[in-house]
Amino acid sequence: MATGWQALAKAFAGKMRLAMIVPLAAALVAAGGDTVPQVTLATPGSSGTGDGTISRFTLRFSEDMVPLGDPRAKAPATHDCKVPADGRWVDTRTWVLEFEKSLPGGMSCHVDLRSDLTTARGVNVVGNSRFEIDTGGPSARAVLAGTGYGGIEEDQIFLVATNVAADRASVGRFAYCAVDGIGEKIPVDVLKRETVTTILEGVSDQWSAQSFTQDAGLPLRLPAAGADREAALDRVVPVKCRRPLPPGREMALVWDARISQSGVPTRTAGRDQRFDYDVRPAFTAKMSCSRVNPQAGCNPLKDINVSFAAPVARDVALAATLRTADGKTIAAKIDDDDKNDAWLERIHFAGPLPQNVDATLVLPADIADQSGRKLQNQSNFPLKFHIDSAPPIVKFAAEFGILEAGEGGILPVTVRGVEASLIQSNLKMPASVLKVGDDDAAIARWLTRVEKADDTDYREEKNAKGEDITVNYTGTQSVFDGAPAGGERRNLTLAPPAGGKEFEVVGIPLAEKGFHVVEIASPELGAALLGRKATRYVATAALVTNMAVHFKWGRDGSLAWVTALDTGLPVAGAEVR
């Protein structure tokens, strides 16, 4: 059985080899002869403006047609398009016909090879000798949708400029609006012709309108009258979505492939064109203020800001007031950058403001934006909120400082709204130890620890409900935790004269000369800044000394010397390293 199948396979293989030899031989014969000169590429193109119009036509031949670089070479073809054009050879095989301006839409014309056209070696060009150029049906060259940058309006009017006049009935039948989240095509209404004139004349001095007319191939200003004006208006179709667009959504105006040319119903756009836009947000008002943590009230030392999602008339915006429970009424103010503007998008109530008091933000009842829209979140106003007391503060002037020993080595710290008694941790390194080489490195390490002690530290954790939250751990670890041994450490009690609740500067005496690290711990500061029960540490470093080092860098040599801080006189025998 197997032997029979093998014999059959050999027989078929022999026939297949014979069948393959015949076309292969024919191909070898054809390859051995001369190729026939012909056009290998004939295509329209644009000048690179991206508007899709035809402004050139390219012919490429299968072999050399002219000597390289011969400017007297004759054109290989003629055309019957109603736009003047010049032709040129770009290389020995490629010829380009450049039109003086882009061909208008709805045009059909031809490029014809000369009947006596021959190649550089004198062989006649054969094959197709007539090539059609068709600019197609009404495609959208440009769309004007508003002149602002905040998104289009809910009832936006679109001006669609086409390459050739479109049939208005087919625009209304096939063009549509597509809105994100709405699973249907919203039809468009074609508006009156006069709408184009009203809009273009109203915004003719704005950049968006100038860009629109340039892209559309229209004059910057419409002709006053006559055929040119009518021809320009024929090519601009005003449309509007049949129902208002939802605020804050993405949408698209779709120019359908089935839209036809005016007077030529069989000539259509041929392809869908989509123009994407963002609908402007709803008109809302928002109050914001500085808070020391998300659960806290507004900081009375900072401004309370009110922002509008769209411009509001100046007098209406400034009619907003802030009323406090203690009977005070605070007027709204504007930024210096907006002082000459007739329409405002933000106002503020300048701090400092009354402390630890309930407040109400009142907006005018008739408030509306530039388009006449009413406030969408009007029900939120009057808006009640709380203004806290001034936030706690414990602040040293810097991470490191030099204190004059002759003045008592007083380290200033600013406090407000904290405990009447704070814990101080003080680490003193005697001045004598500073003379040891290793101590320089130890001081450098302490300076690094103090610098890093206040680094921002936010961590991702899960709360009791298993939800992901961000927790602030900045300054919750003492600078002395895990610190190397050495030095004399002692705990003090700092008692601000005003009780720690008022803004005051307190002096911490560091009488002994040497390098000191000082840290203050405040649970109230932690509760305010961290939003939970936690101690907040604030650290600094200071060098108590009566000497200052001076350095002068010269071209040939440099000079270093030491003076006393209290007298300014040079210190003899000082060691500088």
Side-chain angles (χ1 to χ4, degrees):
M1 183 69 177
T3 304
W5 281 109
Q6 291 175 355
L8 183 61
K10 289 181 180 179
F12 273 112
K15 291 181 179 180
M16 290 177 65
R17 284 195 295 270
L18 180 61
M20 293 177 63
I21 289 173
V22 174
L24 181 59
L28 290 173
V29 171
D34 294 334
T35 57
V36 178
Q38 58 187 323
V39 175
T40 59
L41 176 70
T43 180
S46 67
S47 58
T49 58
D51 58 7
T53 58
I54 296 175
S55 59
R56 66 175 54 163
F57 188 81
T58 302
L59 289 174
R60 184 170 299 136
F61 297 88
S62 60
E63 64 177 83
D64 293 347
M65 299 294 294
V66 294
L68 180 63
D70 185 358
R72 300 169 298 174
K74 191 175 181 180
T78 59
H79 72 95
D80 59 5
C81 303
K82 297 181 180 180
V83 175
D86 291 319
R88 58 187 176 88
W89 288 97
V90 296
D91 58 39
T92 58
R93 299 187 180 192
T94 307
W95 181 76
V96 175
L97 183 66
E98 296 275 4
F99 295 99
E100 288 186 0
K101 61 181 180 179
S102 298
L103 298 180
M107 172 182 284
S108 179
C109 57
H110 299 84
V111 174
D112 296 294
L113 298 182
R114 296 196 335 264
S115 59
D116 60 344
L117 182 62
T118 60
T119 67
R121 61 189 178 93
V123 180
N124 290 328
V125 176
V126 298
N128 190 14
S129 62
R130 186 176 177 83
F131 307 96
E132 183 180 11
I133 301 176
D134 193 332
T135 57
S139 61
R141 291 186 59 175
V143 177
L144 178 63
T147 57
Y149 297 96
I152 63 172
E153 298 181 2
E154 295 86 343
D155 56 351
Q156 183 67 55
I157 295 176
F158 302 88
L159 299 187
V160 183
T162 58
N163 61 339
V164 66
D167 180 71
R168 310 257 163 158
S170 71
V171 173
R173 188 179 308 119
F174 297 119
Y176 63 90
C177 297
V179 180
D180 180 41
I182 299 180
E184 62 175 300
K185 299 177 180 179
I186 302 175
V188 301
D189 291 325
V190 179
L191 307 180
K192 295 181 179 180
R193 185 186 181 96
E194 293 76 14
T195 306
V196 178
T197 305
T198 303
I199 293 177
L200 288 183
E201 291 180 352
V203 299
S204 60
D205 59 339
Q206 299 193 25
W207 177 87
S208 55
Q210 296 171 6
S211 177
F212 167 76
T213 55
Q214 181 178 359
D215 293 343
L218 295 170
L220 184 59
R221 298 186 182 278
L222 292 174
D228 290 342
R229 178 183 177 87
E230 296 304 314
L233 292 175
D234 285 343
R235 290 178 44 220
V236 183
V237 185
V239 298
K240 183 171 74 169
C241 303
R242 187 159 294 174
R243 62 175 186 259
L245 300 168
R249 295 283 190 89
E250 296 178 352
M251 67 83 59
L253 174 66
V254 180
W255 188 262
D256 194 275
R258 295 169 291 177
I259 295 175
S260 61
Q261 180 179 337
S262 178
V264 189
T266 57
R267 187 187 291 272
T268 60
R271 64 186 177 96
D272 288 349
Q273 292 177 271
R274 179 186 177 98
F275 302 90
D276 296 308
Y277 301 96
D278 292 323
V279 185
R280 64 183 178 179
F283 175 49
T284 57
K286 179 182 178 181
M287 186 277 288
S288 62
C289 64
S290 174
R291 305 170 189 266
V292 293
N293 67 67
Q295 292 75 38
C298 292
N299 185 345
L301 305 179
K302 301 290 185 179
D303 295 348
I304 291 177
N305 301 294
V306 179
S307 59
F308 303 103
V312 175
R314 180 191 185 93
D315 57 340
V316 175
L318 291 178
T321 57
L322 185 65
R323 302 173 185 174
T324 59
D326 56 2
K328 295 180 181 178
T329 299
I330 303 171
K333 296 184 179 181
I334 59 177
D335 297 337
D336 290 340
D337 293 342
D338 302 329
K339 61 183 179 181
N340 296 321
D341 294 346
W343 297 87
L344 303 175
E345 294 187 25
R346 57 186 178 271
I347 56 174
H348 68 270
F349 299 92
L353 298 164
Q355 299 187 29
N356 196 23
V357 65
D358 291 329
T360 303
L361 173 62
V362 181
L363 298 180
D366 59 345
I367 188 169
D369 71 355
Q370 203 167 11
S371 301
R373 294 184 299 172
K374 297 297 182 180
L375 204 62
Q376 188 187 62
N377 61 341
Q378 180 71 58
S379 59
N380 293 350
F381 298 92
L383 179 65
K384 296 182 178 181
F385 58 98
H386 185 73
I387 302 177
D388 273 353
S389 299
I393 183 174
V394 176
K395 185 177 180 63
F396 292 105
E399 294 174 352
F400 172 75
I402 296 177
L403 305 177
E404 290 192 44
E407 298 296 327
I410 303 300
L411 175 66
V413 59
T414 302
V415 297
R416 180 188 60 215
V418 294
E419 298 85 354
S421 177
L422 299 95
I423 299 175
Q424 277 185 108
S425 296
N426 177 279
L427 179 64
K428 181 185 66 178
M429 290 184 175
S432 59
V433 179
L434 293 177
K435 295 180 180 179
V436 181
D438 291 342
D439 281 355
D440 288 345
I443 291 175
R445 287 194 294 269
W446 271 111
L447 288 172
T448 301
R449 289 182 68 87
V450 171
E451 180 183 4
K452 292 183 176 180
D454 203 41
D455 285 351
T456 301
D457 183 7
Y458 287 90
R459 306 176 193 176
E460 300 297 326
E461 298 180 356
K462 291 187 179 295
N463 60 13
K465 299 180 181 179
E467 301 170 333
D468 292 331
I469 58 173
T470 302
V471 182
N472 185 2
Y473 281 90
T474 304
T476 56
Q477 183 176 6
S478 171
V479 73
F480 300 110
D481 289 352
E488 178 186 343
R489 179 171 174 176
R490 55 195 172 98
N491 292 329
L492 302 175
T493 298
L494 176 65
K501 296 301 180 183
E502 300 298 328
F503 187 91
E504 56 185 315
V505 179
V506 180
I508 303 174
L510 304 175
E512 296 186 54
K513 295 179 180 180
F515 179 79
H516 301 256
V517 175
V518 180
E519 182 181 75
I520 295 179
S522 172
E524 286 198 21
L525 184 65
L529 298 185
L530 306 176
R532 65 185 188 279
K533 290 184 178 180
T535 299
R536 181 68 158 80
Y537 297 92
V538 182
T540 190
L543 178 64
V544 180
T545 180
N546 193 40
M547 295 186 292
V549 179
H550 308 269
F551 183 76
K552 182 177 182 180
W553 191 358
R555 176 177 298 178
D556 299 323
S558 298
L559 178 65
W561 70 98
V562 178
T563 60
L565 291 175
D566 54 353
T567 65
L569 299 176
V571 176
E575 181 182 356
V576 179
R577 62 187 184 191

Short mmCIF file of all heavy atoms in Angstrom, two decimals, residues 151-156 280-281 283 310-313 343 368-374:
data_model
loop_
_atom_site.label_atom_id
_atom_site.label_comp_id
_atom_site.label_asym_id
_atom_site.label_seq_id
_atom_site.Cartn_x
_atom_site.Cartn_y
_atom_site.Cartn_z
N GLY A 151 -12.97 75.79 26.95
CA GLY A 151 -13.94 74.81 26.45
C GLY A 151 -15.08 75.51 25.72
O GLY A 151 -15.32 76.71 25.88
N ILE A 152 -15.80 74.73 24.93
CA ILE A 152 -16.92 75.29 24.17
C ILE A 152 -18.15 75.43 25.06
O ILE A 152 -18.25 74.81 26.12
CB ILE A 152 -17.24 74.41 22.94
CG1 ILE A 152 -17.69 73.01 23.39
CG2 ILE A 152 -16.03 74.31 22.03
CD1 ILE A 152 -18.20 72.16 22.24
N GLU A 153 -19.12 76.22 24.61
CA GLU A 153 -20.33 76.44 25.38
C GLU A 153 -21.32 75.29 25.17
O GLU A 153 -21.20 74.52 24.21
CB GLU A 153 -20.97 77.76 24.98
CG GLU A 153 -20.07 78.97 25.25
CD GLU A 153 -20.72 80.28 24.86
OE1 GLU A 153 -21.90 80.25 24.41
OE2 GLU A 153 -20.08 81.33 25.03
N GLU A 154 -22.29 75.21 26.08
CA GLU A 154 -23.29 74.13 25.99
C GLU A 154 -24.14 74.26 24.73
O GLU A 154 -24.60 73.24 24.19
CB GLU A 154 -24.18 74.14 27.24
CG GLU A 154 -23.46 73.81 28.53
CD GLU A 154 -22.79 75.01 29.19
OE1 GLU A 154 -22.60 76.05 28.52
OE2 GLU A 154 -22.46 74.91 30.38
N ASP A 155 -24.37 75.47 24.26
CA ASP A 155 -25.15 75.69 23.04
C ASP A 155 -24.26 76.27 21.94
O ASP A 155 -24.67 77.16 21.18
CB ASP A 155 -26.33 76.61 23.30
CG ASP A 155 -25.90 77.94 23.91
OD1 ASP A 155 -24.71 78.07 24.27
OD2 ASP A 155 -26.74 78.86 24.01
N GLN A 156 -23.06 75.75 21.84
CA GLN A 156 -22.05 76.28 20.93
C GLN A 156 -22.50 76.24 19.47
O GLN A 156 -23.08 75.25 19.01
CB GLN A 156 -20.75 75.47 21.07
CG GLN A 156 -19.60 75.97 20.22
CD GLN A 156 -19.12 77.33 20.67
OE1 GLN A 156 -18.78 77.52 21.82
NE2 GLN A 156 -19.10 78.28 19.76
N ARG A 280 -17.15 73.25 28.32
CA ARG A 280 -16.69 73.96 29.51
C ARG A 280 -17.39 73.42 30.77
O ARG A 280 -18.52 72.90 30.69
CB ARG A 280 -16.96 75.46 29.37
CG ARG A 280 -18.44 75.81 29.30
CD ARG A 280 -18.65 77.29 29.10
NE ARG A 280 -20.08 77.61 28.98
CZ ARG A 280 -20.55 78.84 28.82
NH1 ARG A 280 -19.70 79.86 28.75
NH2 ARG A 280 -21.85 79.05 28.72
N PRO A 281 -16.75 73.53 31.92
CA PRO A 281 -17.38 73.06 33.16
C PRO A 281 -18.62 73.88 33.48
O PRO A 281 -18.81 74.99 32.99
CB PRO A 281 -16.29 73.27 34.21
CG PRO A 281 -15.02 73.46 33.44
CD PRO A 281 -15.40 74.05 32.13
N PHE A 283 -21.03 76.30 35.61
CA PHE A 283 -20.70 77.53 36.32
C PHE A 283 -20.93 77.30 37.81
O PHE A 283 -22.06 77.14 38.27
CB PHE A 283 -21.57 78.68 35.81
CG PHE A 283 -21.39 79.96 36.58
CD1 PHE A 283 -20.11 80.45 36.83
CD2 PHE A 283 -22.47 80.68 37.06
CE1 PHE A 283 -19.92 81.63 37.55
CE2 PHE A 283 -22.30 81.85 37.76
CZ PHE A 283 -21.02 82.32 38.01
N ALA A 310 -16.29 80.48 35.75
CA ALA A 310 -16.37 81.33 34.55
C ALA A 310 -16.38 82.78 35.02
O ALA A 310 -16.72 83.07 36.17
CB ALA A 310 -17.63 81.00 33.75
N PRO A 311 -15.98 83.72 34.15
CA PRO A 311 -15.91 85.12 34.56
C PRO A 311 -17.25 85.68 35.02
O PRO A 311 -18.31 85.36 34.47
CB PRO A 311 -15.43 85.84 33.28
CG PRO A 311 -14.73 84.77 32.49
CD PRO A 311 -15.48 83.51 32.77
N VAL A 312 -17.18 86.53 36.05
CA VAL A 312 -18.35 87.18 36.64
C VAL A 312 -18.12 88.69 36.58
O VAL A 312 -16.99 89.16 36.73
CB VAL A 312 -18.56 86.72 38.10
CG1 VAL A 312 -19.70 87.47 38.76
CG2 VAL A 312 -18.81 85.22 38.15
N ALA A 313 -19.19 89.45 36.36
CA ALA A 313 -19.08 90.90 36.32
C ALA A 313 -18.42 91.41 37.61
O ALA A 313 -18.72 90.93 38.71
CB ALA A 313 -20.45 91.53 36.12
N TRP A 343 -14.29 91.73 34.25
CA TRP A 343 -14.82 90.41 34.60
C TRP A 343 -13.80 89.69 35.46
O TRP A 343 -12.60 89.72 35.16
CB TRP A 343 -15.13 89.60 33.34
CG TRP A 343 -16.19 90.23 32.47
CD1 TRP A 343 -16.01 91.17 31.51
CD2 TRP A 343 -17.60 89.98 32.53
NE1 TRP A 343 -17.21 91.52 30.95
CE2 TRP A 343 -18.21 90.81 31.56
CE3 TRP A 343 -18.40 89.15 33.30
CZ2 TRP A 343 -19.58 90.81 31.34
CZ3 TRP A 343 -19.77 89.15 33.10
CH2 TRP A 343 -20.35 89.96 32.12
N ALA A 368 -24.35 85.58 37.96
CA ALA A 368 -24.36 84.85 36.68
C ALA A 368 -23.02 85.08 36.00
O ALA A 368 -22.31 86.06 36.29
CB ALA A 368 -25.51 85.31 35.78
N ASP A 369 -22.68 84.19 35.09
CA ASP A 369 -21.39 84.33 34.40
C ASP A 369 -21.55 85.17 33.15
O ASP A 369 -22.63 85.72 32.86
CB ASP A 369 -20.76 82.97 34.10
CG ASP A 369 -21.50 82.21 33.01
OD1 ASP A 369 -22.56 82.68 32.55
OD2 ASP A 369 -21.02 81.14 32.62
N GLN A 370 -20.48 85.25 32.37
CA GLN A 370 -20.44 86.11 31.19
C GLN A 370 -21.46 85.67 30.14
O GLN A 370 -21.90 86.47 29.32
CB GLN A 370 -19.03 86.08 30.60
CG GLN A 370 -18.68 87.28 29.76
CD GLN A 370 -17.19 87.34 29.48
OE1 GLN A 370 -16.45 86.41 29.74
NE2 GLN A 370 -16.73 88.46 28.95
N SER A 371 -21.83 84.39 30.16
CA SER A 371 -22.82 83.88 29.21
C SER A 371 -24.23 83.90 29.76
O SER A 371 -25.16 83.43 29.08
CB SER A 371 -22.45 82.43 28.81
OG SER A 371 -21.17 82.38 28.23
N GLY A 372 -24.40 84.40 30.97
CA GLY A 372 -25.73 84.47 31.56
C GLY A 372 -26.13 83.22 32.33
O GLY A 372 -27.28 83.12 32.78
N ARG A 373 -25.21 82.26 32.50
CA ARG A 373 -25.55 81.04 33.23
C ARG A 373 -25.68 81.33 34.72
O ARG A 373 -24.86 82.03 35.29
CB ARG A 373 -24.49 79.96 33.01
CG ARG A 373 -24.40 79.45 31.61
CD ARG A 373 -23.39 78.30 31.54
NE ARG A 373 -22.05 78.73 31.91
CZ ARG A 373 -21.03 77.89 32.09
NH1 ARG A 373 -21.21 76.59 31.94
NH2 ARG A 373 -19.83 78.35 32.42
N LYS A 374 -26.67 80.73 35.36
CA LYS A 374 -26.84 80.84 36.79
C LYS A 374 -25.91 79.86 37.49
O LYS A 374 -25.47 78.87 36.92
CB LYS A 374 -28.29 80.57 37.19
CG LYS A 374 -29.29 81.58 36.61
CD LYS A 374 -29.02 82.99 37.14
CE LYS A 374 -30.04 83.98 36.61
NZ LYS A 374 -29.78 85.35 37.11
#
